[in-house]
Amino acid sequence: MPTQIADIIVPAEFTAYIVENSLVSSALFQSGVAVPNGIMSAQLQAGAEFFTVPFWKDLPDTEANLSSDDPTVNSAPLKVSALQQIVRKSFVNQSWAQMDLASELSGSDALARIQNRVLAYWERQWEKRLIASLLGVLYSNVANNAADMVIDISGLSGASADFSGDAVIDAALTLGDRLGDVKMIAMHSTIYGVYVAISNPFSDGLKKVISLFFNASNGSGLRHLRSNRSRNQWSSRMWRRADA
């Protein structure tokens, strides 16, 4: 009887280790929208779980007095007020470990893999915290300021409930004449996919509004947005310097 497979040991062959990196994006954090603050960085080294940042409010826009030569008419002095912000510190940590024997038997250094991905791990963590912080600002505005900085179209019906250039403009215009302070738009990838896929009358306006904010740091000069609104027959324009 010849030697058969059952009579031998078939060696197992493996390729060299390849890697599987997370596809979770940290583009918002990496964009530079969050920048270090020297005062807060110094306070982080001062102990305690939180610290207070007092700040002066601006002078109120009280109507100026009319001057006269009447010596009995004096100006009533006004005041300036201060408020405070509470900054709570987050103490976070993470650890990884490997047994030398495990890496030796696997033929690949697990610790080297860990070292290569630590930065990406923390970037994803900061991304989640940044988004949570921005949502906190949003929810605070809804709860305490009558949602005057929020345009919520989710409760509308038909095309009015769809993501559109008009809706983006409406939301941006809640800033009024501070519109130029907007530097970027953050959105879920599914919503961005809707923007890419749409082909209706407002697509050009939406394309321009997305370009206006996402490409604000690229190039220079003046960018122009025009969005035609068929539902109320008027146009809105937003202007800002791309190098501002």
Side-chain angles (χ1 to χ4, degrees):
M1 179 180 295
T3 299
Q4 296 178 292
I5 295 178
D7 301 316
I8 63 173
I9 297 175
V10 179
E13 293 290 336
F14 292 90
T15 65
Y17 273 77
I18 59 175
V19 298
E20 178 187 56
N21 293 336
S22 172
L23 296 180
V24 176
S25 173
S26 57
L28 182 61
F29 174 75
Q30 294 184 50
S31 70
V33 66
V35 297
N37 181 289
I39 296 177
M40 293 187 178
S41 296
Q43 286 295 324
L44 292 176
Q45 310 300 321
E49 295 182 348
F50 60 89
F51 57 92
T52 302
V53 180
F55 64 93
W56 290 109
K57 298 181 65 177
D58 202 353
L59 300 182
D61 291 322
T62 306
E63 189 68 23
N65 301 312
L66 292 176
S67 300
S68 75
D69 61 354
D70 187 343
T72 64
V73 177
N74 297 317
S75 172
L78 304 178
K79 65 178 181 179
V80 63
S81 301
L83 294 176
Q84 63 182 17
Q85 295 177 329
I86 306 299
V87 180
R88 182 168 182 84
K89 301 177 183 179
S90 293
F91 299 90
V92 296
N93 70 84
Q94 191 53 273
S95 62
W96 297 267
Q98 66 131 18
M99 295 302 292
D100 289 343
L101 181 59
S103 288
E104 291 176 4
L105 292 178
S106 69
S108 183
D109 190 348
L111 193 58
R113 170 62 175 166
I114 293 170
Q115 291 171 333
N116 289 336
R117 297 302 295 167
V118 166
L119 178 59
Y121 165 82
W122 283 114
E123 286 181 343
R124 296 195 301 272
Q125 291 294 305
W126 304 143
E127 177 89 348
K128 291 193 295 184
R129 289 176 174 271
L130 176 57
I131 292 175
S133 298
L134 293 174
L135 288 175
V137 174
L138 171 69
Y139 297 147
S140 176
N141 179 255
V142 172
N144 303 308
N145 304 105
D148 62 350
M149 300 291 287
V150 178
I151 298 296
D152 186 359
I153 63 173
S154 61
L156 302 179
S157 60
S160 297
D162 296 336
F163 176 70
S164 67
D166 289 346
V168 172
I169 294 172
D170 287 342
L173 287 176
T174 61
L175 293 174
D177 57 5
R178 306 303 301 185
L179 177 64
D181 292 343
V182 176
K183 300 303 181 183
M184 66 175 58
I185 298 177
M187 66 181 70
H188 193 280
S189 56
T190 300
I191 301 300
Y192 184 74
V194 173
Y195 147 67
V196 173
I198 58 177
S199 57
N200 50 43
F202 57 69
S203 60
D204 287 340
L206 181 57
K207 184 183 298 182
K208 291 177 182 177
V209 77
I210 297 297
S211 176
L212 177 74
F213 293 119
F214 272 117
N215 299 325
S217 61
N218 298 328
S220 61
L222 196 65
R223 295 181 184 275
H224 172 230
L225 166 70
R226 178 183 179 91
S227 177
N228 294 318
R229 295 169 170 244
S230 58
R231 65 173 181 264
N232 53 14
Q233 301 302 314
W234 64 278
S235 300
S236 63
R237 294 182 175 87
M238 294 192 299
W239 297 84
R240 72 180 298 272
R241 289 197 61 80
D243 55 352

